[in-house]
C-alpha cells in the first residue's frame, strides 16, 4: 500500500504542476488577447472537451505505444499534460481580475510574466487552490486509463492496487478485513488535502457566488 500511495501521490503532484502551468498561461492568453483567432482557438478547445474521454483512449494508447512509454509513469503524465477543464476554470477566474489593476500595472511597465505572477495568480489564488484539489482528486481516483497503461506492480497506483488486492483477498473471501483496511488507508491523503485546503475552497466558491 505504501508503494501504491507513493506512486499515486508523486504522479498526481507532477500532473498538477504541469497542468497548472499550462492552464495559467493558456487562460492568460485567452483573457488578455482579444483577437478572432484566439477566440476561435478557445472555441475549438472547448469543443474537444465535449468528446467522451473513452474516444481518446485508443489514439492515445497508440501514440504512447509508439513512443515506448507504455507501463511507465512518464507515459501517463504525458497523456495528462493538458486539462481543458483547468484552462476553462482559470479563464473564468482571470476574467474577474479588475481591469483597472491590470492597466495600472501596465502603466508601471509590467510585462506579461509580471502580470501573471503579481496580479492574476495572487488575485485568483483561491480558485487555483480549488483547481489543485480537483485535479489531485481526479488523478488519485482515476482507474480506467491508468489500468490500460500500467501493468507492472511497482508502477501501480492506489486504484489499480486496491482492485488487485480486493480480487486476490476479499474477492474469494480469504481476508475481507484486510481489503477494507487498505481502502481506509487509501483515503488518508484525501482527508489531509481537504483539511489543508478547506478554507481556500470555501473562499473560492464564495467569491464566485458574489461575482455572479
Amino acid at each position: 500500500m505504501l508503494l501504491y500511495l507513493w506512486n499515486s501521490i508523486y504522479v498526481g503532484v507532477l500532473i498538477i504542476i504541469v497542468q497548472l502551468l499550462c492552464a495559467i498561461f493558456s487562460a492568460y492568453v485567452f483573457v488578455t488577447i482579444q483577437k478572432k483567432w484566439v477566440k476561435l482557438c478557445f472555441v475549438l478547445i472547448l469543443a474537444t472537451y465535449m468528446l467522451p474521454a473513452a474516444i481518446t483512449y485508443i489514439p492515445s494508447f497508440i501514440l504512447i505505444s509508439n513512443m515506448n512509454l507504455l507501463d511507465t509513469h512518464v507515459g501517463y503524465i504525458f497523456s495528462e499534460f493538458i486539462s481543458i477543464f483547468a484552462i476553462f476554470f482559470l479563464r473564468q477566474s482571470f476574467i474577474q481580475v479588475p481591469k483597472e489593476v491590470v492597466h495600472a500595472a501596465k502603466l508601471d511597465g509590467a510585462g506579461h510574466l509580471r502580470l501573471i505572477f503579481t496580479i492574476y495568480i495572487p488575485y485568483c489564488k483561491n480558485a487555483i487552490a480549488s483547481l489543485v484539489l480537483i485535479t489531485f482528486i481526479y488523478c488519485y481516483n482515476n482507474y480506467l486509463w491508468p489500468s490500460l497503461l500500467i501493468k507492472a506492480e511497482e508502477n501501480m497506483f492506489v486504484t489499480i492496487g486496491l482492485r488487485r488486492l480486493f480480487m486476490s483477498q476479499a474477492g474469494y473471501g480469504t481476508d475481507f478485513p484486510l481489503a477494507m483496511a487498505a481502502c481506509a488507508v487509501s483515503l488518508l491523503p484525501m482527508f489531509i488535502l481537504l483539511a489543508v485546503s478547506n478554507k481556500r475552497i470555501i473562499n473560492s466558491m464564495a467569491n464566485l457566488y458574489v461575482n455572479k
Side-chain angles (χ1 to χ4, degrees):
M1 281 303 301
L2 292 178
L3 177 62
Y4 300 153
L5 286 172
W6 166 249
N7 289 339
S8 294
I9 291 173
Y10 101 83
V11 170
V13 170
L14 291 178
I15 290 176
I16 287 173
I17 295 173
V18 172
Q19 286 190 3
L20 202 58
L21 288 175
C22 293
I24 287 174
F25 288 108
S26 300
Y28 175 80
V29 170
F30 291 135
V31 168
T32 57
I33 301 179
Q34 301 297 324
K35 293 186 178 181
K36 291 184 178 180
W37 66 270
V38 176
K39 295 180 180 179
L40 178 61
C41 290
F42 182 68
V43 171
L44 293 176
I45 288 175
L46 288 184
T48 62
Y49 188 61
M50 299 177 185
L51 295 174
I55 294 179
T56 65
Y57 286 168
I58 294 177
S60 298
F61 187 89
I62 295 174
L63 177 62
I64 294 175
S65 176
N66 292 335
M67 298 173 64
N68 296 322
L69 294 178
L70 288 178
D71 201 11
T72 63
H73 292 160
V74 176
Y76 177 66
I77 294 173
F78 178 76
S79 67
E80 300 288 343
F81 203 81
I82 296 176
S83 171
I84 306 301
F85 170 78
I87 294 174
F88 176 76
F89 186 83
L90 285 186
R91 177 187 177 274
Q92 297 305 109
S93 299
F94 282 5
I95 288 177
Q96 299 170 9
V97 176
K99 294 182 180 179
E100 296 80 9
V101 177
V102 176
H103 290 325
K106 289 181 178 179
L107 291 175
D108 289 337
H112 294 297
L113 290 178
R114 185 178 173 187
L115 286 174
I116 292 173
F117 289 102
T118 62
I119 303 296
Y120 284 93
I121 291 179
Y123 188 87
C124 302
K125 58 183 178 181
N126 291 327
I128 293 175
S130 300
L131 182 60
V132 168
L133 179 63
I134 294 171
T135 304
F136 183 80
I137 292 174
Y138 166 78
C139 296
Y140 192 81
N141 293 331
N142 197 9
Y143 168 74
L144 183 56
W145 178 236
S147 66
L148 297 176
L149 296 180
I150 306 298
K151 299 300 179 183
E153 184 176 2
E154 62 271 14
N155 294 329
M156 287 184 178
F157 303 134
V158 166
T159 51
I160 308 173
L162 282 178
R163 183 183 182 279
R164 182 174 178 273
L165 179 64
F166 194 88
M167 294 302 296
S168 63
Q169 298 294 330
Y172 301 99
T174 55
D175 200 344
F176 191 80
L178 176 63
M180 292 297 99
C183 292
V185 171
S186 68
L187 295 176
L188 290 178
M190 307 300 296
F191 284 127
I192 295 174
L193 183 62
L194 182 61
V196 171
S197 58
N198 184 38
K199 185 176 179 181
R200 289 192 179 276
I201 295 172
I202 294 175
N203 292 335
S204 176
M205 297 299 106
N207 290 337
L208 289 175
Y209 179 78
V210 170
N211 288 327
K212 287 182 180 180

